[in-house]
Amino acid sequence: MGFESLLKELAGKFDSKINGYTQYGCNFINAPADIAKEVLKSLKCDYGFTYLVDIVAIHWPKKNEKFELSYNLFNVDKKLRVFVKVALAEPEFETVTDIWKSADFLEREQYDLVGVTFKGHPDLRRILMPDFFEGHPLRKEYGLKDRSWFNSVDEQNLGIKFTK
Amino acid sequence: MENISTKDNLSEIITVNMGPQHPSTHGVLRLVVDLDGETIVDVRPDVGFLHRGVEKLAENRTYHQFIPLTDRLDYLSPLSNNLGYCLAVEKFFNVKIPERAEYLRVIFAELARAASHLVWIATHALDIGAMTVFLYAFRERELILDMFEIATGQRMTSSWIRIGGIREDVPPLFLEKLKEFVSIFDERIDTYERLLTKNRIWLKRTVGVGYLSKEDALSYGVSGPIMRGSGVDFDLRRDEPYGIYDRFEFDVPVREEGDIYARYQVRVEEMRQANRILKQALEQIPEGPVMTDDPRVAMPSHQEVYERMEALIRRFYLISKGFKTPKGETYACVEAPKGELGYYIVSNGEERPYRLKIRAPSFVNLGAINKMAKGAMVADLVGIIGSVDIVLGEIDR
């Protein structure tokens, strides 16, 4: 099963709502947000993509659909890698923890750093930043040298002191 | 933290904190462990103590400037990290890498794998109580680090693999030392195996402990030796070959048992296979340039800069402004010692990545620790952490 035939089958299954392309040696599938979860489920159950490698959230403040998720899936038997891309107007999407357990950590990380909420995730907490951190550092509006949060921590007297 | 809670009349669940300053957590890992007597009921990892915001920094640096930061992810095998990143950037341009550079990349990556596995066998055995292996394994690791120092000037954090090739050719002494090393390394692995493989205490502590089934291994997304220790026959070097790995003959060790002992066997065999690849690379390595002459990405050599005005301008431009990548997204991954290390780069057509995501193998592997440790004894938790082989620099990024 190559990427072309997979794409053809998926297009037949989902009424041609999805499309795909190959760029710089990687295979991408665009799926609309309302059927994306079904596409992901079908890829695992019907096409053997049992290994969820990674989830990437991207912030596009200048586009209409301001957020984008990219699911990196691998079929271990057929050695095929595809990326399922989902464009989102709001930073909110359904969880895939019920399909792949690795999504637990991966979704928590994207929630923490980019601020995409995954509905139905069993334990959606911050993972890399401290629990009392405010904001999402990988959003484009968050400046590289933004110290406002560190300064406000001093005022809140949380017992942690940061030097400026 | 959490209070001591009573589940029912018979058993009392006690919550114990482990780390972040704990010698056997291999860095600043904190685990919150729920115990029923001595049995583990639940493990909740708490990470992020070493978070440096590498992905945010990447968005503010040129493509060349990011290479030193990749060294500091998995600091036990910096050269594999360089390799993965450079492969991802090279995908944008479809650069042709010179033959000698390709061979040197393989040599560096396999030496990094051997060095990383040597640290693993040393510290893992030390955690469980076998002190001697530590001293032997570090002796061989020292040989590898000496070789890195001869070639790159640094023992660790070498930043030696660059976009388009290798920074500079290796001195003849490096290949001599490497020849010496590959001739003794197999015997040295036998030494470790004599100390551990049939050792009764080692077997008691590892066989059947930290079990992860094949289905769970795939579902939890673990990669590298843990995945192969659970019966998944998958290695990126063979199944999605990058560089020139398709030219080498090597076996991918797979064990079905899924316990700590299976992971131990897989990693030991991987060291032998790394040595096998090194021997083949040493035989086949050709003479020639080590940096591509593709003007879009290649940094002109020092010699050229001294002799030609154009090269000087080119070098100045690349260092002060960087180069632009075409628009689009790409992903490249390597079989790092810990598992699948991937770089997902989104480019906006500028000199800096628009978004860079690092798929760190240790981070995903740590997600399965709850599954492995549930039902085990609290003393086995140390062995399970050791068998996952985590590096916190990579988890926290």
Side-chain angles (χ1 to χ4, degrees):
Chain A
M1 181 178 61
F3 179 60
E4 294 296 315
S5 59
L6 171 76
L7 208 59
K8 218 175 257 175
E9 277 189 47
L10 275 178
K13 208 168 180 177
F14 293 97
D15 303 332
S16 314
K17 277 183 193 157
I18 60 164
N19 58 70
Y21 58 95
T22 303
Q23 191 182 41
Y24 307 120
C26 297
N27 304 320
F28 294 94
I29 295 174
N30 281 320
D34 50 333
I35 58 160
K37 179 143 188 198
E38 282 165 54
V39 174
L40 289 167
K41 204 167 200 165
S42 160
L43 279 170
K44 184 191 172 181
C45 301
D46 308 334
Y47 300 101
F49 286 85
T50 44
Y51 176 25
L52 170 67
V53 185
D54 202 1
I55 300 174
V56 187
I58 307 153
H59 186 206
W60 298 98
K62 285 174 189 157
K63 284 190 182 175
N64 280 337
E65 285 160 322
K66 288 194 166 45
F67 292 88
E68 191 179 13
L69 291 174
S70 181
Y71 291 84
N72 180 348
L73 308 178
F74 196 82
N75 186 329
V76 175
D77 300 323
K78 291 180 178 134
K79 325 288 180 212
L80 183 65
R81 190 186 291 278
V82 298
F83 296 84
V84 179
K85 298 216 298 178
V86 189
L88 305 168
E90 295 294 318
E92 197 175 71
F93 189 62
E94 285 157 85
T95 181
V96 292
T97 40
D98 48 339
I99 310 176
W100 296 280
K101 285 169 185 159
S102 58
D104 184 356
F105 263 42
L106 296 170
E107 284 180 355
R108 271 179 72 187
E109 191 200 341
Q110 296 311 306
Y111 162 74
D112 185 2
L113 299 180
V114 191
V116 178
T117 316
F118 293 92
K119 279 183 289 181
H121 188 286
D123 184 22
L124 200 62
R125 288 181 289 128
R126 287 190 180 276
I127 190 163
L128 294 180
M129 306 303 286
D131 290 338
F132 48 86
F133 185 80
E134 283 163 23
H136 302 285
L138 284 184
R139 290 262 179 106
K140 291 292 164 188
E141 65 258 16
Y142 194 98
L144 178 68
K145 292 182 178 170
D146 192 344
R147 304 292 295 177
S148 55
W149 175 79
F150 292 91
N151 299 340
S152 74
V153 169
D154 284 356
E155 290 160 19
Q156 286 167 22
N157 197 16
L158 285 159
I160 299 163
K161 288 268 186 279
F162 293 99
T163 48
K164 279 178 194 171
Chain B
M1 259 337 272
E2 284 117 309
N3 291 325
I4 295 167
S5 59
T6 316
K7 207 179 184 186
D8 52 59
N9 294 333
L10 290 170
S11 67
E12 208 178 4
I13 308 285
I14 303 173
T15 305
V16 177
N17 178 62
M18 184 175 174
Q21 290 87 12
H22 190 285
S24 70
T25 54
H26 299 255
V28 281
L29 169 70
R30 175 170 173 255
L31 296 171
V32 181
V33 191
D34 284 349
L35 295 174
D36 178 3
E38 271 195 73
T39 314
I40 297 165
V41 180
D42 195 20
V43 182
R44 293 184 295 280
D46 183 9
V47 297
F49 294 96
L50 213 62
H51 182 59
R52 294 148 294 174
V54 168
E55 288 171 13
K56 185 78 181 175
L57 285 169
E59 292 169 15
N60 294 280
R61 284 171 172 246
T62 63
Y63 285 96
H64 275 305
Q65 284 173 340
F66 185 65
I67 296 175
L69 290 178
T70 61
D71 288 330
R72 285 145 181 90
L73 297 169
D74 175 359
Y75 40 75
L76 295 177
S77 61
L79 287 151
S80 325
N81 305 347
N82 297 161
L83 179 59
Y85 172 70
C86 292
L87 285 174
V89 180
E90 282 157 10
K91 269 195 173 178
F92 278 113
F93 298 101
N94 211 357
V95 193
K96 182 94 187 69
I97 310 296
E99 281 287 289
R100 189 175 172 84
E102 290 274 27
Y103 276 96
L104 284 172
R105 281 179 171 197
V106 168
I107 288 174
F108 281 139
E110 293 307 314
L111 279 176
R113 185 183 322 279
S116 174
H117 282 359
L118 283 171
V119 174
W120 159 79
I121 200 171
T123 52
H124 183 38
L126 187 66
D127 284 345
I128 293 185
M131 176 88 193
T132 323
V133 190
F134 178 87
L135 301 167
Y136 283 122
F138 264 64
R139 180 185 62 186
E140 270 72 75
R141 178 170 179 257
E142 212 45 43
L143 296 176
I144 298 178
L145 292 187
D146 283 348
M147 273 189 272
F148 284 163
E149 196 176 357
I150 292 166
T152 74
Q154 307 264 8
R155 287 155 58 81
M156 294 160 94
T157 61
S158 37
S159 309
W160 202 245
I161 295 175
R162 300 289 169 90
I163 299 157
I166 300 270
R167 171 72 175 78
E168 235 161 74
D169 203 350
V170 290
L173 182 63
F174 173 80
L175 292 176
E176 278 169 37
K177 289 266 178 192
L178 184 61
K179 249 175 222 155
E180 238 170 79
F181 176 78
V182 295
S183 63
I184 58 160
F185 192 44
D186 278 329
E187 282 169 39
R188 300 288 166 94
I189 299 169
D190 292 340
T191 317
Y192 320 140
E193 284 222 84
R194 270 204 296 280
L195 285 166
L196 294 175
T197 305
K198 285 175 186 164
N199 183 326
R200 250 174 79 186
I201 304 169
W202 181 258
L203 289 170
K204 285 235 169 191
R205 293 296 304 269
T206 57
V207 174
V209 180
Y211 175 71
L212 194 70
S213 71
K214 189 177 177 180
E215 288 72 35
D216 281 334
L218 279 168
S219 182
Y220 276 99
V222 297
S223 48
I226 308 182
M227 189 190 218
R228 292 190 280 277
S230 289
V232 184
D233 189 6
F234 174 58
D235 189 315
L236 284 167
R237 288 174 294 170
R238 185 195 62 193
D239 298 331
E240 225 185 25
Y242 50 90
I244 51 161
Y245 269 105
D246 43 2
R247 292 186 203 169
F248 297 102
E249 264 180 47
F250 61 98
D251 299 325
V252 177
V254 179
R255 293 284 182 283
E256 301 291 332
E257 294 86 352
D259 54 6
I260 301 182
Y261 191 66
R263 284 164 220 148
Y264 158 77
Q265 285 177 309
V266 167
R267 287 208 179 89
V268 168
E269 186 57 34
E270 264 181 25
M271 281 197 272
R272 291 187 195 280
Q273 296 302 329
N275 200 29
R276 206 171 143 197
I277 296 174
L278 284 172
K279 278 178 190 161
Q280 294 171 43
L282 256 179
E283 272 172 25
Q284 298 170 14
I285 186 166
E287 290 295 322
V290 292
M291 192 59 163
T292 172
D293 48 10
D294 193 325
R296 291 172 298 178
V297 293
M299 200 77 85
S301 70
H302 277 116
Q303 197 56 41
E304 266 186 289
V305 170
Y306 293 144
E307 288 166 2
R308 284 176 53 237
M309 182 69 176
E310 294 79 7
L312 178 69
I313 296 169
R314 180 86 205 133
R315 191 180 179 88
F316 183 74
Y317 188 82
L318 276 176
I319 288 182
S320 58
K321 276 207 86 175
F323 58 81
K324 289 182 180 174
T325 49
K327 277 187 186 182
E329 299 172 17
T330 193
Y331 177 83
C333 50
V334 291
E335 186 72 38
K338 269 89 187 171
E340 175 174 349
L341 173 73
Y343 292 85
Y344 189 94
I345 302 180
V346 182
S347 161
N348 214 8
E350 288 171 6
E351 294 94 347
R352 293 163 173 77
Y354 182 77
R355 169 92 163 91
L356 188 141
K357 169 78 167 68
I358 300 156
R359 195 271 182 196
S362 297
F363 180 77
V364 186
N365 291 354
L366 187 69
I369 199 163
N370 190 13
K371 183 77 193 167
M372 288 187 243
K374 230 177 228 177
M377 292 285 142
V378 66
D380 291 334
L381 187 58
V382 170
I384 292 168
I385 298 169
S387 79
V388 177
D389 190 19
I390 49 168
V391 162
L392 269 296
E394 185 175 66
I395 292 176
D396 295 342
R397 275 159 286 159

